[in-house]
Amino acid sequence: MEIELAIIGGGPAAYSAGIYAVRAGIKPIIFEKDGGGGLAIFSPNIENYPGFESISGIDLMEKMRLQAKKYCEIRTFEKVKKIQKNNNDFYIETIKEKYKSKAVIISTGSEYKKLKIQGESELQGKGVSYCATCDGFFFKDKKVAVIGGGNSALIEAIYLKQIGCKEVVLIHRRDQLRAEKAYEEEAKKNNIKFLFNKNVIKINGSEKVETISVKDVINLKETKLKINGVFISIGEIPQNLIAKEMNIKLDEKGYIIVDKNQRTNIKGVYAAGDITGGLRQIITACAEGAIAALSTTEVLGKNYPY
Ligand code: NDP
């Protein structure tokens, strides 16, 4: 099947790119590997996306997805396996079909980073989770630990306390948080307990999580904490496999390098959203998606005055 523009991904960058592309006279198809929404759907509460004082990630992404769907086709649960460039065309192979496209926007985002410690994968779904919105409900009146010191960890910890966890302990490997001050203050107001300078080295339990082993980074002392649930929130890793296989230039952390028009080093390929690193916010993903979509006009032979 021949298409004008393939947008790979199902997050805010992809949806925004779809909307802007159609409005610029381009016919895109958005390819989602799953039901869509990206990592943002795991955010219990978003308070910094202008226009919504407070909205859950699921609701905001659903609104964006529905809006994009009004404009363009979204092929859902159609993971892109491979993209090959031949002359000025891109040959795209998904798990369902083959396509030929004149331009590509990669907005594949990122996924949760793993601690890679004993017990983590064995007990996933049995007390180990990466998403408080999805699994927090099961830990009402229970004691949980949140691992990490960034914005996400703080937001998860506050959410877990607010939905009724008996005790929420935030465990961070350094002596200070990476998160914004506002989240730190909010966490303190919610009686979140902080354990600084500690690494979680093992998650213990047979059928479900029972304890975690924690090592102090200064005196190297190991202790065990009784806990019912562990929420791991230690950042993300870019989903760059397609980009790597196309020899698209990445930075040292694996994010796609783009110019101010979202161009990659390969003509006709643009990137937008979390996959380009940097601020990694919904608002910047939307903006990058819009810029990428309009930039594709330069290879699609359309006139767009920008
Ligand atoms: P971050 O990369 O900001 O933070 C990850 C945290 O996990 C850091 O505190 C880091 O420690 C810690 N960490 C990393 N690896 C390990 C490890 N192996 N063991 C123990 N701890 C580890 O990730 P987030 O998911 O919090 O945020 C991702 C991006 O999204 C950021 O840019 C963030 O600003 C943004 N975001 C913004 C929000 C908002 O503005 N409302 C909400 C949520 C996310 P250390 O500090 O020592 O490096």
Side-chain angles (χ1 to χ4, degrees), residues 48 113-115 147-153 155 172-174 176 178 180 183 199 233-236 278-281:
N48 57 3
K113 195 174 152 190
K114 304 275 191 308
L115 268 175
I147 323 295
N151 282 342
S152 303
I155 292 170
H172 183 37
R173 63 182 177 184
R174 287 189 299 129
Q176 56 179 320
R178 179 182 290 276
E180 288 168 28
Y183 291 127
N199 268 318
S233 191
I234 58 166
E236 297 153 19
L279 202 49
R280 309 209 299 283
Q281 300 284 301

Side-chain angles (χ1 to χ4, degrees), residues 43-107:
S43 190
N45 197 18
I46 293 164
E47 294 182 342
N48 57 3
Y49 188 78
F52 298 91
E53 244 175 64
S54 171
I55 186 166
S56 75
I58 289 179
D59 287 348
L60 182 58
M61 285 309 108
E62 182 63 13
K63 283 180 192 296
M64 281 192 197
R65 192 173 185 277
L66 284 175
Q67 192 177 351
K69 234 177 148 181
K70 281 193 182 158
Y71 283 92
C72 67
E73 188 179 345
I74 299 180
R75 299 220 162 173
T76 196
F77 290 98
E78 187 163 345
K79 188 180 167 136
V80 172
K81 289 203 300 190
K82 202 156 92 187
I83 305 177
Q84 273 178 318
K85 189 174 183 185
N86 194 352
N87 296 323
N88 287 328
D89 294 320
F90 296 94
Y91 292 84
I92 298 166
E93 194 183 330
T94 74
I95 55 165
K96 292 184 183 162
E97 246 184 278
K98 287 183 178 162
Y99 303 83
K100 183 173 151 190
S101 177
K102 300 217 166 303
V104 174
I105 296 175
I106 302 178
S107 39

Side-chain angles (χ1 to χ4, degrees), residues 34 41 59 67 83 105 130 163 175 180 200 282:
D34 50 26
I41 59 167
D59 287 348
Q67 192 177 351
I83 305 177
I105 296 175
Y130 299 85
I163 61 164
D175 62 353
E180 288 168 28
V200 177
I282 297 171

